[in-house]
Amino acid sequence: MAAHIRRRLRKGATTTAVAAAAVAALAASQAPAAPLAEGATGGDQQAAGGESGGPEDGGAATGNSPYYTDLPPLITPDRPGSSSNLPAATGSAEAGIPASVLAAYKQAERTVGTTDPACRLPWQLLAAIGKVESGQARGGQVDANGTTLSPILGPALNGQGFALIKDTDGGAYDSDAVHDRAVGPMQFIPSTWATWGQDANGDGRKDPNNIYDAALAAGRYLCAGGRNLAVAADLDRAVLSYNQSTEYLRTVRSWFAYYQRGTHEVPDGSGVLPTAPSTPTPSPTPTPSPTPGGTTGPTPSPSPSKPGGTKPSPSPSKPGDGSTSPTPTPTPPRPTPPPKPTPSPAETFGSLENAGTGPLTATAGGTFEERVSVRARNALGAPMAQLPVTFTITGTTGTLFDGGKKKVTVISKADGTATAPALKAGEKTGEFTVTATAGTNRPRTLTYEASVTARQADTIVRVGDKALVAAPGEKFADAVTVKATHKGIAAPGVAVTATMVKDSLGLIDNDKGPYFKDADGKPLRTLDLTTGADGLLQLPEIFADENPGTYKLRLTTEGGGSVVVELTVQAPEETAPEETETPEA
């Protein structure tokens, strides 16, 4: 959080001097890997930010939001080199870290140590940043899973005393759809969390309000760019990439050194809170000037005039004559209108996900067995009810929702699901999409691919069994008629391919024997046809060439149905003339 709050929140007349001495003493007592690098100032941050891959807006993980400026006690928890796992009764209250928070820091150190051992991330650095950013998740106010009991949000980064960062998440994390805010115990701004967010507790969600997720994200962020945090210059750049302020760096450094000298675990919810809020009002209300003596009060009224006369008003004082002008009455400040209530994360739309929709395919004119279904979740990842979800069909297949519409709106149920009406396939085969859209400020969408295939028939049979015979060079007198069915029901509009073949399997086409004719009267031995409304198909006329013999016509359908019909080309049998008996002479 940004260095705009430059007050040290320690009490006493010598606060500034004591605080400065504390920083110097603590910095001087650190381990060799952790001294403050020379020249570690905000000016170094340009390079450091580039290494970190941090957000463009503000160039820091927190967007340079405000932070707690309390310093650690002058008495360190334990002597140098002592254990960092002191019993709960040992050490000052400030050295205590809530159990879940401490566990999250140590888990992050182990995880990063496995995936990026060259970084040498110390958990005490995470603890120092967590202390400065959120007071260790507000003293460990987290549930059993490590999620804060209520969201920890920084002020709106609206450019009024803070950086100007316009909304990047539609309010999903920070419940603010106008400007971004730092979120969670490690105070990530949403745009940074979108890149660095982690799921460290294995619940399937990357939640900036969860201390385990946030601590691991902070660890990976600090290690970015190949940094070795055992090197002072790299550690300084890492901290500055979190917040571009030299004062911030020194504050984090002081807590880092403090925790390195010893800490102890305390129960969740019992940690020591900072002494001042981390989100002060950017523009404090002006107050009247104090009166002499150190108190503030209304300007005293002039003494009443004596009876019987009036006192003339005193002349204005001339410059330099030693007189004092009357104290002006302060103008009362205009009342600040109350801020508009911000919806809680539980009321803020967060994400849209597939609710188990399977493959979307159907034959032309049929009904899709699957229905498009989505699940809406709020900013905390819980199912969100009463959210309008719009489903839209895009494509040229003629597919519509049940009821004849291409766009429908469905309200999500208690479990967050919204299911579109059934899809009715059009007559044209091909691909189309169904898009689900929800949310207004930053809509979330899901797109599903779907397809319409040709009608199918699993069976095709010849109608009639009369032998089909033609003489060479003649046409077959009887037409060939077939019927296609699908699951025993007549299959209209099914594509049928008719081919003259040499074998029953249709592996070898025939270039002799019977044939169809094209529009120009030329021979064709393959035709693509379609069954009629009753599933019946009568083939065009078939002609025989001059080659006698027995031939095969194979008909196949979409869906696997097939039938083979025999065609015979033979000359008509010659009939011997009857012998006429010649009468004997």
Side-chain angles (χ1 to χ4, degrees), residues 508-532:
I508 304 175
D509 293 351
N510 205 339
D511 56 357
K512 295 180 180 180
Y515 59 88
F516 304 104
K517 287 184 179 180
D518 64 11
D520 297 327
K522 295 180 180 180
L524 285 176
R525 289 187 167 84
T526 298
L527 280 181
D528 290 323
L529 305 165
T530 304
T531 60

Side-chain angles (χ1 to χ4, degrees), residues 125-507:
L125 180 59
L126 296 175
I129 291 175
K131 177 68 173 181
V132 170
E133 293 293 346
S134 68
Q136 310 296 20
R138 291 177 178 159
Q141 296 289 333
V142 296
D143 62 19
N145 295 319
T147 302
T148 57
L149 300 181
S150 60
I152 300 176
L153 298 175
L157 299 175
N158 55 14
Q160 299 180 16
F162 311 117
L164 173 60
I165 304 180
K166 295 183 179 179
D167 175 63
T168 60
D169 68 329
Y173 293 120
D174 57 11
S175 301
D176 189 333
V178 179
H179 298 95
D180 272 352
R181 297 169 181 257
V183 181
M186 302 304 279
Q187 289 288 277
F188 279 95
I189 57 174
S191 59
T192 308
W193 185 259
T195 301
W196 294 93
Q198 303 288 315
D199 175 20
N201 64 349
D203 64 356
R205 295 193 301 116
K206 298 176 182 180
D207 184 2
N209 292 296
N210 181 276
I211 185 58
Y212 290 95
D213 293 358
L216 181 57
R220 296 202 188 285
Y221 183 93
L222 294 167
C223 288
R227 295 192 186 104
N228 178 358
L229 300 183
V231 176
D234 277 5
L235 187 142
D236 290 346
R237 291 190 185 96
V239 175
L240 287 170
S241 76
Y242 219 86
N243 191 308
Q244 296 180 16
S245 163
T246 305
E247 184 176 342
Y248 178 85
L249 171 61
R250 294 188 181 279
T251 305
V252 169
R253 277 290 207 156
S254 66
W255 282 105
F256 178 44
Y258 182 74
Y259 288 136
Q260 281 185 314
R261 294 177 65 83
T263 60
H264 60 273
E265 179 184 298
V266 298
D268 288 346
S270 64
V272 176
L273 293 174
T275 59
S278 63
T279 56
T281 305
S283 301
T285 304
T287 56
S289 302
T291 59
T295 60
T296 301
T299 303
S301 304
S303 302
S305 304
K306 294 182 180 179
T310 59
K311 265 189 180 179
S313 300
S315 303
S317 305
K318 293 181 180 180
D321 64 359
S323 59
T324 304
S325 300
T327 304
T329 302
T331 304
R334 293 182 180 179
T336 303
K340 294 181 180 179
T342 302
S344 69
E347 299 170 334
T348 302
F349 174 49
S351 63
L352 202 62
E353 62 185 36
N354 185 3
T357 306
L360 295 170
T361 183
T363 57
T367 300
F368 285 75
E369 294 184 3
E370 285 285 334
R371 293 169 64 181
V372 179
S373 184
V374 300
R375 176 174 284 104
R377 294 188 181 277
N378 61 24
L380 297 178
M384 188 170 189
Q386 299 300 310
L387 181 73
V389 180
T390 299
F391 298 90
T392 306
I393 297 172
T394 304
T396 59
T397 63
T399 301
L400 300 171
F401 290 113
D402 193 9
K405 296 181 178 180
K406 296 188 72 171
K407 180 183 289 188
V408 294
T409 299
V410 179
I411 305 300
S412 63
K413 298 187 295 187
D415 62 354
T417 59
T419 303
L423 289 164
K424 300 288 186 180
E427 291 298 326
K428 186 176 180 181
T429 61
E431 309 290 327
F432 68 97
T433 61
V434 180
T435 302
T437 305
T440 53
N441 294 325
R442 290 178 64 86
R444 271 65 167 176
T445 62
L446 280 179
T447 299
Y448 297 82
E449 301 291 335
S451 63
V452 177
T453 60
R455 286 185 172 87
Q456 297 183 352
D458 51 25
T459 304
I460 184 171
V461 296
R462 181 189 169 199
V463 178
D465 57 3
K466 186 177 180 180
L468 300 169
V469 180
E474 301 295 330
K475 70 177 180 179
F476 287 81
D478 297 305
V480 177
T481 302
V482 295
K483 183 175 183 178
T485 58
H486 182 66
K487 296 181 180 180
I489 301 173
V494 173
V496 178
T497 300
T499 307
M500 300 297 178
V501 295
K502 289 183 178 180
D503 62 303
S504 298
L505 295 177
L507 299 178

